Amino acid sequence: MQFETKKDFAYAQIKNDILSGKLKPGEKLVIRTLAAKYGMSYIPIREALSQLFHEGLVHTVPYTGTRVADINIEKVFEATALRNEVEILCLKTAIPHITSGDIQAIRDILKSLHSLYEERNITRYMIVNHTFYSSFYEKSPYKYLKEYLQELYQTGRTSTSLIASHYIPESLKLHEELISFVEQNDIDGAIRCHRYQKRAAIRAVTAIMREVLLHPEQLESSHVDMFYRREQIDSDRDSLMQQLDRIEALFPLSAD
């Protein structure tokens, strides 16, 4: 991927580290350390952190510095529910404009996803998987709908690929089904497939989150530490379970 400026590169790297869980909620972001890590001066790092601050991914604590923002789980999942509906609109309006050449390009992305999964390169898989979906949505002629979708992506920090990697094989099969529906210009079939896949993915994540709440010793190995801290689980487990109940109510597994 080519970047126009060093700030763009720094922004992409730090953001990917946050979304992949390499940088945890509450972790301090030291400009000097980040500059050394990415091999650049302080200025692009500072500019990148400013952009991430406006997107809500980092925050500044007086006398302490910049840290990765904590995740408001209900906000994230409600935004995800809304995002899924906007994705449906993007897909519905895009399908009539998707060409055979576009389908071939999307199949090439799917091949890359299979390879990345076989290599267990899950962080890269997560990034390419986003490209898979956006390759459909970008064909929608509705500019502001797509802009709104991007705003919702900024809020939703869930990553099924990282947290529920066991779901990836099923997801890849559904990717193939989605391509087939789109290739046949079957809008209703594509929408059903898309909706089921997104809801099943979220259910896979929440199932693991429930397991970690019951067995907190699994926290770090599960990547759920992107959402929870151990002390939070120990002091508020029942409330967190109720939170998951509300979240799952947003994602019924029926495709209707």
Side-chain angles (χ1 to χ4, degrees):
M1 181 180 293
Q2 298 295 319
F3 298 96
E4 292 184 2
T5 67
K6 290 183 178 179
K7 187 272 288 186
D8 292 337
F9 173 78
Y11 164 81
Q13 295 301 312
I14 298 170
K15 183 175 182 178
N16 284 339
D17 282 351
I18 292 173
L19 296 181
S20 67
K22 291 180 181 178
L23 293 171
K24 308 295 183 185
E27 186 169 338
K28 190 171 183 179
L29 301 173
V30 180
I31 290 176
R32 179 179 64 256
T33 303
L34 293 173
K37 179 179 180 180
Y38 301 125
M40 58 181 61
S41 68
Y42 295 175
I43 293 175
I45 298 293
R46 190 175 291 111
E47 292 174 342
L49 291 177
S50 177
Q51 183 172 345
L52 291 165
F53 172 81
H54 289 295
E55 292 178 4
L57 290 176
V58 305
H59 67 100
T60 300
V61 180
Y63 309 110
T64 301
T66 301
R67 295 183 181 274
V68 178
D70 287 329
I71 294 177
N72 181 322
I73 296 176
E74 286 194 286
K75 180 179 180 181
V76 165
F77 279 95
E78 286 183 24
T80 301
L82 180 56
R83 187 191 80 201
N84 290 352
E85 295 306 310
V86 175
E87 286 175 332
I88 292 294
L89 282 173
C90 283
L91 180 63
K92 181 178 181 178
T93 55
I95 289 175
H97 304 280
I98 294 175
T99 67
S100 58
D102 296 328
I103 292 292
Q104 184 55 54
I106 293 169
R107 288 195 184 280
D108 289 341
I109 295 172
L110 182 57
K111 288 179 183 178
S112 297
L113 288 173
H114 278 284
S115 297
L116 289 168
Y117 178 63
E118 290 172 2
E119 297 163 6
R120 295 301 187 267
N121 189 344
I122 304 302
T123 299
R124 181 62 184 165
Y125 181 98
M126 175 188 71
I127 297 168
V128 176
N129 195 49
H130 176 72
T131 302
F132 174 84
Y133 286 111
S134 62
S135 296
F136 292 106
Y137 308 147
E138 68 185 13
K139 297 301 177 179
S140 170
Y142 292 93
K143 174 184 175 182
Y144 298 110
L145 184 65
K146 291 184 288 186
E147 288 180 358
Y148 184 45
L149 180 57
Q150 288 305 311
E151 292 177 15
L152 291 168
Y153 273 125
Q154 301 299 343
T155 303
R157 288 164 62 183
T158 56
S159 175
T160 306
S161 306
L162 286 172
I163 297 173
S165 58
H166 69 281
Y167 174 73
I168 290 178
E170 180 181 352
S171 179
L172 289 171
K173 292 178 183 178
L174 291 167
H175 280 17
E176 184 63 51
E177 288 184 22
L178 179 60
I179 293 173
S180 296
F181 281 124
V182 172
E183 193 170 28
Q184 297 164 24
N185 202 34
D186 183 347
I187 295 176
D188 290 340
I191 288 173
R192 286 194 303 271
C193 179
H194 185 286
R195 181 169 282 133
Y196 176 82
Q197 180 167 17
K198 293 290 184 172
R199 292 178 178 182
I202 294 299
R203 285 303 190 96
V205 170
T206 56
I208 290 176
M209 293 171 77
R210 283 187 185 279
E211 182 67 16
V212 169
L213 290 180
L214 294 172
H215 304 283
E217 67 276 6
Q218 300 177 10
L219 181 62
E220 292 186 7
S221 62
S222 66
H223 291 287
V224 176
D225 57 350
M226 295 172 65
F227 296 96
Y228 298 140
R229 299 183 189 182
R230 178 60 184 264
E231 59 270 23
Q232 183 184 15
I233 294 174
D234 291 341
S235 65
D236 211 13
R237 182 180 286 104
D238 290 344
S239 176
L240 295 175
M241 283 290 194
Q242 291 172 6
Q243 201 174 52
L244 290 180
D245 289 340
R246 291 193 295 272
I247 289 166
E248 290 183 346
L250 289 170
F251 299 95
L253 281 181
S254 69
D256 298 328

